[in-house]
Structures are given as structure tokens and as C-alpha cells.
Amino acid sequence: MAVRSTAAELQRVKITEELQMDYMEFKNQMLAEIEERLTEKEYACYEPADGNMLEESLVIQEGNEPIRFGATTTSMYRAYKSGYSIRQIAEEIIREKEAHKEIKGLEKIRMLDDYERVKEDLYIRIVSTNKKVTVLERGIYRKIGDIILGVYLRINEDDGKLCTTLIDNTYLDKWELSKEDVLEQAMDNTVKMAPPRFYDGRE
């Protein structure tokens, strides 16, 4: 009886594994499922890891609005591998996007005039290619060769899901701070959020 049970379980696992799609196919279908649920003004895309802090993420944005919402690719894939369907994951992401958009985003944006209330949530990100023009025109940034490091506000980050907004350079006057002051604060925060890792060659 035990042998039959084990054989049946192994067969079930084999069938389940065969039904699982590979990582790239999952990403493509996940993006398509999200896009079906967006408004005409919204768009979604995958963005690569931004420096040492963030993983590759599926990001949703509405037009040129500063607030962006997304989920890390690995967190979505883990949910899929644990038994959730792509449809279920997409629906949950859209629900959370709307919740953050209506509540968290407004709360943080309203606090932006008060530097002391938001300074701990400022952090540095490597700016993706399609965002460079916007950051160069409106952002607070440092350019190192071809790399642009922009200052963003972390609105919320929970279980692999994140919501961020670019800090407009007009806030420098409101905060009565220099660009370097804000960059230094954001860099310190980034190091605290994701401290450097060192390897001894055996890992």
C-alpha cells in the first residue's frame, strides 16, 4: 500500500512539473495577463534590477504619472510555483495596485513637502534607459559615465511588491537643501536597505 501511494504521488508530481512553464514563458504570459487588465492610459513592462536594491520587476505606470507600482518577477514566479494561477496572480497585483494608488500614494505625495517625514524613504536607483530623459529634465540625479543614479521615494514595499515615484528637482527649493544633501541622504538609505555583500571565494 505504501509503495502504491508513493508511486501515485511521484506520478502526480511528474504531471504537475510537466504542466509548469519555464521562467521566460511565465514572464511573457504574466505580462500579457496584466496588460489585459490595464486601462487605456496604463502600460506595463519588465524593468531590470536597479543596482543592489531591487530585483527585476514587472512595473505598471499610468501615462507620465510619477507613481509606479510593480511586483518582483521572482515573487510572482514563486507564487505561481506554489500553485497560484497566472490569472489569480494578475488579479491580486491589480487589486493591490489600486489600493496603493488610492491610499499609500496619496499619503506619501501629500507628505513630500515635509522633508523630515519622507527623508528615510528616499533611495537611489539606476535609471532605466526609457526613463533617462525624464530624470535628466526633472529629477535629482548623479551621472557616472553612462549610468544615471536617480533619487526616488519608496512609497511602499511589501512581499516583493513595490510602489515608487521619482523625486522632482523642484523639491530642492521647497526643502531648502542642495542636490548633494539629498543625494547623500538617499545613498545612505540605500546602503541601509541593501548593505553590500562580501564573498570569500568559497560561496
Side-chain angles (χ1 to χ4, degrees):
M1 182 66 71
V3 173
R4 288 183 180 177
S5 250
T6 302
E9 180 64 19
L10 289 173
Q11 180 66 17
R12 185 187 67 79
V13 170
K14 181 179 179 181
I15 292 171
T16 301
E17 289 177 346
E18 288 174 352
L19 292 174
Q20 297 280 13
M21 34 183 107
D22 64 32
Y23 192 61
M24 292 305 298
E25 185 180 354
F26 165 79
K27 285 177 58 177
N28 292 337
Q29 293 200 22
M30 190 74 249
L31 178 60
E33 195 75 26
I34 289 289
E35 287 177 332
E36 287 183 4
R37 291 166 168 75
L38 300 180
T39 66
E40 291 182 358
K41 295 182 179 180
E42 293 177 321
Y43 68 91
C45 63
Y46 285 105
E47 291 197 359
D50 295 319
N52 294 323
M53 182 184 161
L54 301 177
E55 302 174 41
E56 178 191 57
S57 301
L58 193 161
V59 175
I60 301 171
Q61 185 164 358
E62 182 174 347
N64 293 319
E65 289 295 316
I67 298 176
R68 308 159 76 232
F69 179 84
T72 60
T73 311
T74 53
S75 69
M76 295 186 297
Y77 194 57
R78 280 197 302 268
Y80 170 71
K81 295 286 280 185
S82 70
Y84 290 92
S85 68
I86 286 181
R87 178 184 58 78
Q88 289 173 316
I89 298 168
E91 289 174 351
E92 179 62 20
I93 288 173
I94 296 300
R95 277 195 297 270
E96 294 199 17
K97 173 185 72 74
E98 292 304 316
H100 287 299
K101 182 178 177 181
E102 294 174 7
I103 301 173
K104 296 293 183 182
L106 292 175
E107 288 176 357
K108 281 286 178 71
I109 294 301
R110 278 196 290 263
M111 292 192 301
L112 263 175
D113 285 345
D114 187 344
Y115 178 73
E116 291 301 316
R117 296 182 69 183
V118 299
K119 68 179 184 179
E120 299 300 326
D121 285 311
L122 301 177
Y123 72 99
I124 297 291
R125 282 179 51 187
I126 296 176
V127 178
S128 58
T129 302
N130 63 330
K131 296 295 179 184
K132 284 186 177 180
V133 173
T134 300
V135 173
L136 290 174
E137 290 178 351
R138 297 171 35 201
I140 301 170
Y141 65 90
R142 177 176 292 158
K143 191 172 182 181
I144 304 175
D146 293 331
I147 298 173
I148 298 173
L149 304 177
V151 177
Y152 286 77
L153 176 70
R154 180 180 59 173
I155 294 175
N156 195 58
E157 185 174 1
D158 180 37
D159 193 26
K161 301 178 183 67
L162 57 99
C163 191
T164 68
T165 184
L166 174 69
I167 296 295
D168 198 287
N169 55 31
T170 57
Y171 282 99
L172 293 175
D173 289 335
K174 294 180 181 179
W175 295 339
E176 298 181 347
L177 292 169
S178 70
K179 170 183 172 180
E180 291 306 315
D181 288 335
V182 175
L183 280 165
E184 184 177 352
Q185 175 69 49
M187 185 62 74
D188 287 345
N189 292 343
T190 304
V191 172
K192 292 175 186 175
M193 292 172 189
R197 298 180 62 189
F198 297 93
Y199 300 91
D200 61 7
R202 291 175 294 179
E203 297 180 305

